[in-house]
Amino acid sequence: SRQDNQDPMLEVDASTRLSLVHEINGQVDRLALHDEGGCPYWLGIDLASDTQHFYFGKLGFNLYAGTAGVSLLKAELHEKEILRPESGKPVSSAHLESITRLVEHNDLRLLQKWWSDHPLGLAGAGGAIMSLLELDDLNADPPLGWSSHRQLALALLNGLTPDRLREDPYLDILGGV
């Protein structure tokens, strides 16, 4: 008899688990819409910057309800060589386009506005920074013009001020510090 605390997935053989991973990856790809350049994106409900409201639209690069999760999933599958090379690049630069454009402006006021427009927790800026660092650890190809995802994360941190941290009213992991 199975122990109550044993994970039921452990009872599934490796071949079945691998098949399920490929099925999930295929579903993610099939659900994607594509912009004029052919880059995938998804629509969904996301947490607004006030962490009190939600909105429907094109998902941004955040860990809670955005493309960061898709990027991390695909990077992990490529790193573990679960996805075949012909399945495409693991992380689309399009997922990071708004962040790379922001940082490339090299405008401190724009960076500070980005930090004030996003929650600090996993549902916002914190999740984006954490995702960039994890993509770097997974050896995902960095966006065009960048030597690493870590370099991009550090450039974003230039806009975070001590006042932004002190003024943040949210202390939860999704929205706050």
Side-chain angles (χ1 to χ4, degrees), residues 11-25:
E11 294 178 7
V12 177
D13 65 88
S15 171
T16 302
R17 285 194 303 268
L18 185 58
S19 176
L20 289 170
V21 166
H22 284 288
E23 185 178 324
I24 291 168
N25 182 62

Side-chain angles (χ1 to χ4, degrees), residues 134-146:
E134 184 62 23
L135 286 169
D136 204 60
D137 288 346
L138 290 169
N139 299 309
D141 291 336
L144 192 60
W146 293 88

Side-chain angles (χ1 to χ4, degrees), residues 84-111:
R84 296 169 207 78
E86 64 270 14
S87 66
K89 290 199 177 248
V91 180
S92 169
S93 292
H95 297 172
L96 300 170
E97 187 177 324
S98 63
I99 292 176
T100 55
R101 271 196 324 250
L102 170 72
V103 174
E104 287 167 354
H105 276 94
N106 204 20
D107 184 334
L108 187 58
R109 288 179 316 203
L110 286 176
L111 282 173

